[in-house]
């Protein structure tokens, strides 16, 4: 017979087993990775309906194309759509994912909803991250803008960060990592903010605006981006995209099957009903210098919005989309005789032309045969003539129409007619200079290495921008003033000597700011899509002058009144191209205090210095920092907390040194309460206490 003591200890063992099992179950639950396609916030937006809190949980990981989760994909096409399977274009490579999806989970909400995303960083190699909500203005919530080392510290490995902001500006936006090259390797996804139908200016132009009619296009490489970056910048390796993706899918790699058959990974498909009109939303997560032409065979497109801002409808045969831009168009599915399917084509130019990078998706008519369109899918066949919106490095004509000629549906304001309070000229180019990071004078200067290893530095006003050691928005006083510079304050000739600093312009809250952004175009026939965080701006002028130009030439033209600025209904955008050998002029009212990044959205250009910060307002005008917001920055050893004997010596040493950010950097989970203890553990613990008490009582009675 089992004694009471034996029974008690056996029960204790079972409880310990239950405790450990609850831990395993808890960890297993973490890998239930939802795609959120059926999220309750995906709904018809209604007037006067209460806004919702829309919560998401993303697990960020280093993952792999065609992993074991794909089983027999692409030979068995149904395997390609298994959970956790990322087929991409069939080329196996490492990637970075949110919830093991490419693209990551889409967000579809209504204007006024609150978006709350828990970012759970489980990427290997202790890699920090941040997520930027591209197109969301973050008025009053600048700390949620998600720019590592500008608005926040990176979210450290094995920790979580909760982003929380209101979706106050409707339109087609997207989210992407804003640390290192993570968005280039897969950390991106759509973010669509809809409004009630009666507030939508173009509602009468279409029958359907469906969540599944969002297209994300991007150029794609066949290995991790950091490998290409290191090879190109340190040894002259090629930096040309290999392929392209539409919604993370496409065909490239061939898989030989039985009897000489070839198998491919699936393309993206978009279904339409005959004789109905559909709103499509196109997002560019462009990575390298790859402008993308978008077209639909045998269909025209009525383009109605860009970067979330509507303009008067413009009918075109194709449009170009640059990195960071978004365009909405209406497609009339009226090709019914005969009823068949058509190619949606994306065709890369510039750097993408080297490897003829392109991709296709299928516009599938309901009732049409389940077969691919008959036309060729080559890069050459993807060229589309006719009317094109947003040309790449071309002078505007009747058929090549700059986006600055679109007519906004938003009413006029004084940004287009008032005299600007601040007028800033920003000249960009690839400059031949000994950048210490890549051409070390005295060791391997520019002049000493082979021509194919020359690295021309992408700069603004001959300044290479670096990120500060602490984010200035949340740790304003931890960035010393001498870390900043701009063309007016720098104390050297940057045409001859390499200049590098935290490139910053300060503007007063409420200023009307005009930026004359010039691509001098001396070195390459390239272009730069420039994105401004925190603002929509009016695009008042775009012009390509010649194969090259200069800051001085554009200033002289401006002084002579030779630049024609739009003075009424200029389109609103947050990302715009600057043509090579030309200029783009934008204006915005600096009414959103904070520290905002303005940068080229080509990944390699931004990473090595083609960007700057706009500090809008003074320190006391900045938005309030959320409680317990993570801190980071420089640190130096100065003893230990309990080392009182050296306190006076340390204080004296600190007085002699320049002021550092010598507080111990902290990196806790931010914005999230500690995880609650599972009920099973609480029950097990209480039962354990009762058993111990009972056991002790029985033993005492036995004595």
């Amino acid at each position: 017979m089992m004694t009471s003591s034996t029974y008690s200890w056996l029960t204790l063992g079972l409880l310990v087993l239950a405790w450990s099992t609850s831990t395993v179950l808890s960890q297993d639950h973490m890998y239930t990775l939802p795609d959120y396609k059926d999220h309750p916030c995906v709904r018809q937006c209604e007037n006067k309906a209460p806004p919702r809190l829309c919560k998401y949980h993303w697990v960020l990981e280093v993952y792999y194309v065609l992993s074991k989760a794909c089983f027999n994909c692409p030979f068995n096409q149904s395997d390609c759509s298994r959970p956790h399977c990322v087929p991409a274009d069939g080329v196996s490579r490492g990637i970075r994912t949110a919830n093991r999806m490419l693209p990551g989970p889409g967000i579809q909400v209504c204007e006024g909803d609150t978006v709350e995303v828990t970012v759970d960083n489980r990427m290997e190699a202790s890699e920090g991250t941040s997520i930027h909500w591209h197109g969301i203005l973050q008025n009053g919530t600048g700390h949620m803008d998600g720019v590592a080392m500008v608005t926040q510290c990176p979210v450290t490995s094995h920790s979580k960060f909760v982003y929380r902001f209101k979706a106050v500006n409707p339109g087609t936006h997207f989210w992407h990592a804003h640390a290192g090259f993570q968005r280039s390797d897969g950390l991106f996804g759509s973010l669509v903010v809809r409004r009630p139908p009666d507030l939508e200016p173009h509602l009468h132009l279409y029958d359907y605006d469906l969540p599944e009619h969002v297209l994300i296009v991007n150029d794609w490489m066949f290995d991790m981006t950091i490998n290409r970056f290191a090879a190109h910048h340190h040894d002259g390796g090629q930096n040309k995209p290999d392929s392209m993706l539409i919604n993370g899918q496409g065909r490239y790699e061939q898989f030989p099957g039985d009897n000489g058959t070839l198998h491919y990974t699936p393309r993206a498909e978009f279904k339409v009903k005959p004789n109905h009109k559909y709103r499509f939303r196109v997002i560019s997560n462009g990575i390298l210098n790859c402008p993308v032409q978008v077209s639909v065979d045998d269909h025209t497109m009525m383009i109605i919005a860009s970067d979330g801002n509507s303009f008067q409808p413009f009918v075109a045969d194709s449009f170009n989309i640059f990195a960071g831009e978004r365009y909405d168009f209406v497609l009339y599915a009226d090709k019914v005789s005969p009823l068949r399917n058509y190619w949606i084509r994306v065709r890369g130019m510039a750097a993408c032309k080297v490897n003829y990078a392109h991709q296709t998706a299928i516009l599938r008519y309901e009732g049409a045969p389940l077969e691919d369109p008959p036309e060729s899918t080559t890069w050459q066949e993807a060229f589309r003539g006719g009317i094109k919106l947003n040309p790449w490095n071309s002078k505007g004509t009747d058929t090549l129409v700059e986006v600055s000629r679109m007519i906004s549906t938003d009413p006029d304001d004084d940004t287009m007619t008032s005299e600007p309070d601040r007028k800033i000229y920003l000249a960009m180019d690839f400059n031949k200079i000994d950048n210490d990071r890549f051409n070390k004078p005295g060791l391997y200067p520019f002049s000493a290495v082979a021509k194919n290893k020359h690295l021309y530095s992408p700069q603004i006003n001959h300044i290479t921008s670096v990120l500060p050691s602490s984010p200035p928005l949340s740790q304003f006083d931890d960035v010393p003033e001498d870390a900043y510079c701009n063309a007016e304050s720098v104390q050297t000739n940057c045409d001859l000597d390499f200049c590098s600093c935290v490139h910053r312009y300060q503007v007063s809250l409420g200023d009307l700011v005009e930026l004359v952004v010039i691509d001098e175009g001396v070195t390459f026939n390239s272009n730069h899509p420039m994105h401004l965080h925190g603002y929509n701006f009016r695009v008042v002028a775009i012009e390509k002058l010649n194969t090259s130009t200069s800051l001085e030439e554009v200033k002289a033209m401006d002084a002579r009144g030779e630049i024609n600025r739009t003075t009424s209904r200029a389109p609103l955008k947050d990302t715009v191209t600057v043509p090579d050998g030309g200029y783009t002029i934008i204006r915005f009212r600096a009414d959103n205090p904070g520290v905002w990044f303005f940068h080229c959205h080509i990944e390699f250009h931004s990473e090595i210095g083609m960007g700057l910060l706009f500090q809008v307002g003074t320190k006391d005008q900045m938005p309030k920092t959320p409680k317990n917001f993570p801190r980071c920055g420089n640190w130096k050893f100065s003893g230990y907390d309990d080392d009182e004997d050296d306190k006076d010596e340390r204080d004296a040493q600190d007085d002699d040194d320049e002021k550092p950010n010598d507080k111990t950097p902290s990196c806790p989970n931010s914005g999230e309460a500690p995880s609650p203890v599972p009920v099973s553990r609480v029950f097990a613990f209480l039962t354990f206490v009762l058993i111990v008490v009972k056991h002790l009582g029985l033993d005492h009675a036995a004595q």
Side-chain angles (χ1 to χ4, degrees), residues 247-395:
N247 285 358
Q249 295 179 271
R251 287 191 175 187
Y252 186 93
E253 189 75 2
Q254 297 179 345
F255 295 82
D258 297 334
N259 303 318
T261 58
L262 291 176
H263 298 263
Y264 297 89
T265 47
R267 295 182 173 96
E269 296 187 3
F270 301 90
K271 297 178 181 179
V272 294
K273 296 178 180 179
N275 295 316
H276 287 75
K277 297 176 181 178
Y278 292 84
R279 181 173 186 161
F280 282 78
R281 300 170 181 266
V282 185
I283 300 163
S284 172
N285 182 52
I287 299 166
L288 298 179
N289 182 26
C290 182
V292 178
Q293 176 193 268
V294 180
S295 64
V296 184
D297 283 5
D298 293 346
H299 294 72
T300 57
M301 295 174 287
M302 183 185 293
I303 306 169
I304 60 174
S306 182
D307 300 352
N309 298 287
S310 298
F311 48 69
Q312 290 185 10
F314 180 81
V315 178
D317 297 285
S318 66
F319 63 88
N320 288 338
I321 188 168
F322 298 96
E325 287 190 306
R326 293 89 66 207
Y327 283 91
D328 295 19
F329 69 87
V330 175
L331 181 136
Y332 185 18
D334 61 347
K335 309 304 179 188
V336 296
S337 183
L339 197 61
R340 67 180 187 90
N341 305 311
Y342 296 85
W343 293 125
I344 299 173
R345 301 180 188 261
V346 295
R347 177 180 186 263
M349 296 168 285
C352 270
K353 184 179 179 180
V354 174
N355 293 319
Y356 299 109
H358 69 287
Q359 195 53 258
T360 52
I362 300 176
L363 181 70
R364 192 171 294 285
Y365 271 70
E366 185 179 277
L370 293 177
E371 58 188 24
D372 289 351
E375 292 84 4
S376 169
T377 61
T378 65
W379 182 88
Q380 289 80 2
E381 291 293 328
F383 174 76
R384 182 75 178 267
I387 297 175
K388 183 191 299 291
L389 177 64
N390 204 24
W392 171 62
N393 286 352
S394 298
K395 290 180 179 288

Side-chain angles (χ1 to χ4, degrees), residues 105 147 184 250 256 279 302 340 403 524 556 576 640 695:
V147 184
S184 306
R279 181 173 186 161
M302 183 185 293
R340 67 180 187 90
V403 71
F524 304 116
V576 68
Y640 298 95
H695 175 71

Side-chain angles (χ1 to χ4, degrees), residues 10 40 72 87 163 167 233 281 402 407 508 543 580 652:
L10 178 60
N72 204 30
Y163 290 95
H233 290 85
R281 300 170 181 266
E402 303 100 328
I407 301 172
S508 297
E543 185 176 6
D580 185 85

Side-chain angles (χ1 to χ4, degrees), residues 312 406-412 416 538 566-571:
Q312 290 185 10
M406 297 299 98
I407 301 172
S408 175
T409 60
D410 285 78
D412 280 339
M416 289 167 287
R538 297 275 188 176
T566 301
T567 58
S568 177
R569 308 294 283 275

Side-chain angles (χ1 to χ4, degrees), residues 612-669:
L612 55 84
L613 304 181
F614 281 106
Q615 178 188 317
V616 178
T618 59
K619 176 184 175 181
D620 60 347
Q621 293 172 323
M622 294 292 148
K624 291 182 179 180
T625 302
K627 291 181 179 180
N628 303 316
F629 203 67
R631 297 175 59 86
C632 56
N634 295 330
W635 178 86
K636 67 177 182 179
F637 180 79
S638 58
Y640 298 95
D641 287 343
D642 58 354
D643 192 356
E644 294 297 331
D645 293 339
D646 293 336
K647 184 176 185 301
D648 293 339
E649 181 180 340
R650 290 200 312 274
D651 291 343
Q653 178 182 337
D654 286 346
D655 290 340
D656 293 338
D657 292 341
E658 63 180 359
K659 183 180 179 181
N661 171 26
D662 56 3
K663 295 182 179 179
T664 303
S666 60
C667 46
N669 291 340

